[in-house]
Amino acid sequence: MPLGFCICGLRMSKIKFISRVTSIYISIMRGTPLMLQLLMVFFGPYFLFGMSLGDSYRFPAVIIAFSLNYAAYFAEIYRGGIQSIPVGQYEAANVLGYSRAQTFFKIILPQVIKRTLPPVTNEVITLTKDTSLAFAIACAEMFTQAKHMASAQRSMMPYVAAGIFYYVFNFVVAFVMERLEKRLSYYR
Amino acid sequence: MTAEQHNQSEMPSTGTPVFQVTHLSKAFGELQVLKDISLSVNHGQVVSIIGPSGSGKSTFLRCATLLETMEHGSMSFMGKTVCEEGPQGAVYAPVSELRKLRALFGLVFQNFNLFPHYNVLKNITDAPICVQKRDPAEVLEKARELLKTMGLSAKENAYPCELSGGQQQRVSIARALISNPQILFFDEPTSALDPELTGEILKTIRALAARKMTMVIVTHEIEFARLVSDHVVFMADGVIVEQGPPEEVISHPKNPRTQAFLMKLSHKA
Ligand SMILES: Nc1ncnc2c1ncn2[C@@H]1O[C@H](COP(=O)(O)OP(=O)(O)O)[C@@H](O)[C@H]1O
Ligand SMILES: [Mg+2]
């Protein structure tokens, strides 16, 4: 999420080149399957530089790939949020003498957070479910574990258990976000 | 009221205008929006700007309040230079200097532009405390005083979304007044309000005029302009077509365009 914030900043940069490059990045991240990106991040160093990073690299690779991918989505959500704030807010702040940084952090950002909370919740939930993709590089996330157990036990139960776990986790995410939304609903 | 005391203490002895702009011109790309506008506003004066939509009234206020930069012309507040005409057009003072000059004026918007996530009190006090670094206790006291004169004492903890348009506009006037501006600009302060709410805002502005607040008001309320202003400016297509005291410009316009504009307005009403 913080990375998405930085990328959003770059995307909205006044320098054409930077915003252009960032928008290509976002387009690639959103336009190719996460699974592919995961494989690229994991096997990329080996094929490009002949580096063998071994088993200990599995988990960092998953984190890197997910961060790079989801940052692109979060960046676009933030950008939409920032652009939905009426220019009048900037103008009022400007006339009152707020500096650019003060305007952003005191006036704009709180409103952006409120407006982007529902789509951010969506993304977090999707992200949780996407972790099951990590099995592609055999990182031992929950889904993979469940698969092993299922074949060993010849039963559906581990899948059901995994499903319940995903659901409970996302339920908690949704619950927390909803509480947050309620807390911010004191205005408008 | 403190704003007035403040005004008087800094009142220029030599009759320097509070606000002066000469030969202002401004274009958006190919479109020349303002052409050679000059205006001088003295202490305690109330100037109304009238004119058809798209004539550049808002753009003029936006140039005056530094929301837009002008291509040509000079401008000053209390004799302090904002920009001066140079060989290649208007040259602005350094940003640090402009920051100081911002405290000299206030702007009231057509659609209020209050900060929705701040309550009434914070909307008014945040800028003086965080930007001007004034003493919070003093600012708070001043804010409550202003809210009282605006008849909004009961609403200090309300959020903008809980207020009527007229109340929101009064809060935004209080927000502009708290920094003790030397001059207040209004851009159609009643245009976004229901007709039955315009009265309360006009009353507030008249109360300010009675206290000798210097003001420039863009308005379509011709009767109000006639009553409240010392000087009326009729603008069309980016130029000042006619200006003078209200009894001339509004009651006995000489220019055919002014006559046509006023005619149309009175027919609509
Ligand atoms: N930011 C802008 N970019 C391009 N054109 C603009 C911009 N702002 C205003 N204009 C144009 O300038 C002209 C004057 O607009 P404005 O000052 O809002 O008029 P008024 O307030 O008198 O109705 C209009 O033709 C408008 O389309
Ligand atoms: Mg306008």
Side-chain angles (χ1 to χ4, degrees):
Chain A
M1 275 196 265
L3 184 61
F5 200 70
C6 300
I7 291 175
C8 173
L10 293 177
R11 173 73 181 82
M12 295 181 75
S13 162
K14 281 212 184 70
I15 304 163
K16 262 247 166 66
F17 177 74
I18 294 180
S19 90
R20 195 79 211 127
V21 168
T22 318
S23 95
I24 292 170
Y25 167 81
I26 291 174
S27 147
I28 291 173
M29 283 302 163
R30 298 204 302 180
T32 59
L34 175 56
M35 166 100 83
L36 194 70
Q37 292 165 19
L38 199 55
L39 294 174
M40 294 275 269
V41 170
F42 184 61
F43 294 113
Y46 177 75
F47 287 113
L48 286 178
F49 315 110
M51 281 193 293
S52 166
L53 291 160
D55 267 3
S56 59
Y57 181 55
R58 281 181 208 280
F59 184 66
V62 171
I63 298 293
I64 292 170
F66 274 83
S67 304
L68 290 178
N69 178 274
Y70 272 86
Y73 285 94
F74 282 119
E76 287 299 274
I77 293 176
Y78 296 143
R79 185 167 68 98
I82 290 172
Q83 286 176 346
S84 74
I85 305 296
V87 279
Q89 293 289 306
Y90 292 91
E91 293 178 349
N94 186 320
V95 170
L96 291 169
Y98 289 93
S99 69
R100 285 176 55 127
Q102 283 172 323
T103 303
F104 184 75
F105 288 107
K106 297 192 67 130
I107 311 298
I108 306 300
L109 190 58
Q111 298 183 54
V112 170
I113 290 174
K114 179 183 159 81
R115 286 182 189 209
T116 54
L117 219 44
V120 163
T121 309
N122 267 335
E123 280 309 305
V124 172
I125 288 174
T126 318
L127 171 64
T128 318
K129 290 188 290 190
D130 275 354
T131 53
S132 58
L133 283 179
F135 84 88
I137 58 169
C139 190
E141 56 46 79
M142 194 168 56
F143 189 73
T144 316
Q145 305 270 25
K147 218 170 109 213
H148 287 320
M149 281 159 74
S151 50
Q153 299 178 8
R154 296 173 184 283
S155 120
M156 278 288 285
M157 274 326 279
Y159 286 135
V160 173
I164 290 173
F165 197 86
Y166 277 120
Y167 181 76
V168 167
F169 187 83
N170 282 330
F171 184 82
V172 170
V173 169
F175 179 77
V176 169
M177 293 304 227
E178 200 176 309
R179 287 292 294 271
L180 215 57
E181 262 177 64
K182 281 228 179 72
R183 275 196 52 181
L184 290 177
S185 69
Y186 60 88
Y187 67 88
R188 191 178 27 252
Chain B
M1 193 176 113
T2 352
E4 194 191 337
Q5 291 158 5
H6 191 82
N7 279 353
Q8 278 163 355
S9 63
E10 272 193 36
M11 207 173 120
S13 47
T14 50
T16 321
V18 175
F19 170 68
Q20 187 164 38
V21 62
T22 45
H23 306 304
L24 184 168
S25 74
K26 164 84 191 164
F28 289 111
E30 292 285 282
L31 183 70
Q32 191 71 37
V33 178
L34 297 172
K35 303 158 202 158
D36 195 24
I37 303 275
S38 296
L39 184 70
S40 176
V41 184
N42 291 319
H43 177 81
Q45 241 190 345
V46 178
V47 176
S48 293
I49 301 179
I50 57 173
S53 270
S55 54
K57 304 180 300 295
S58 297
T59 307
F60 174 68
L61 288 197
R62 293 167 57 81
C63 286
T65 52
L66 308 183
L67 289 174
E68 297 279 1
T69 51
M70 54 176 96
E71 269 102 53
H72 291 281
S74 314
M75 188 163 85
S76 66
F77 286 99
M78 308 295 291
K80 295 181 186 120
T81 304
V82 171
C83 67
E84 239 162 355
E85 179 70 3
Q88 261 111 45
V91 180
Y92 277 78
V95 173
S96 56
E97 181 64 22
L98 294 181
R99 179 156 297 148
K100 273 183 244 153
L101 293 180
R102 268 180 215 285
L104 296 178
F105 59 82
L107 172 64
V108 174
F109 297 86
Q110 181 174 345
N111 46 5
F112 334 129
N113 290 334
L114 293 176
F115 304 131
H117 56 306
Y118 287 167
N119 68 18
V120 166
L121 207 54
K122 183 132 165 112
N123 258 285
I124 299 172
T125 57
D126 195 61
I129 293 174
C130 297
V131 177
Q132 302 178 333
K133 313 280 181 224
R134 278 160 60 182
D135 170 35
E138 175 256 332
V139 171
L140 212 61
E141 188 190 334
K142 177 84 191 291
R144 295 214 161 97
E145 196 183 304
L146 278 169
L147 283 174
K148 203 164 145 202
T149 60
M150 301 272 169
L152 287 171
S153 290
K155 299 284 184 188
E156 65 171 54
N157 292 317
Y159 284 87
C161 61
E162 299 163 342
L163 302 178
S164 75
Q167 290 169 332
Q168 288 189 50
Q169 191 59 300
R170 276 181 281 159
V171 172
S172 90
I173 293 173
R175 181 174 74 171
L177 281 173
I178 196 156
S179 55
N180 297 320
Q182 299 294 312
I183 180 167
L184 263 193
F185 296 92
F186 292 82
D187 192 359
E188 302 192 24
T190 60
S191 293
L193 300 177
D194 295 335
E196 71 267 26
L197 297 178
T198 58
E200 56 186 76
I201 297 305
L202 299 183
K203 218 172 93 191
T204 307
I205 297 174
R206 281 174 69 178
L208 288 172
R211 286 188 239 129
K212 288 279 166 253
M213 182 76 212
T214 313
M215 294 183 281
V216 175
I217 308 167
V218 170
T219 182
H220 287 300
E221 305 278 339
I222 297 297
E223 265 324 295
F224 167 72
R226 193 207 306 269
L227 285 172
V228 78
S229 38
D230 310 295
H231 192 81
V232 176
V233 172
F234 174 69
M235 227 166 117
D237 289 332
V239 293
I240 295 180
V241 173
E242 188 170 359
Q243 58 177 320
E247 49 276 15
E248 280 175 25
V249 179
I250 295 179
S251 311
H252 305 287
K254 291 192 197 70
N255 190 292
R257 295 194 68 175
T258 321
Q259 292 166 352
F261 173 74
L262 291 170
M263 216 39 170
K264 234 163 90 193
L265 270 191
S266 59
H267 277 243
K268 230 180 354 194

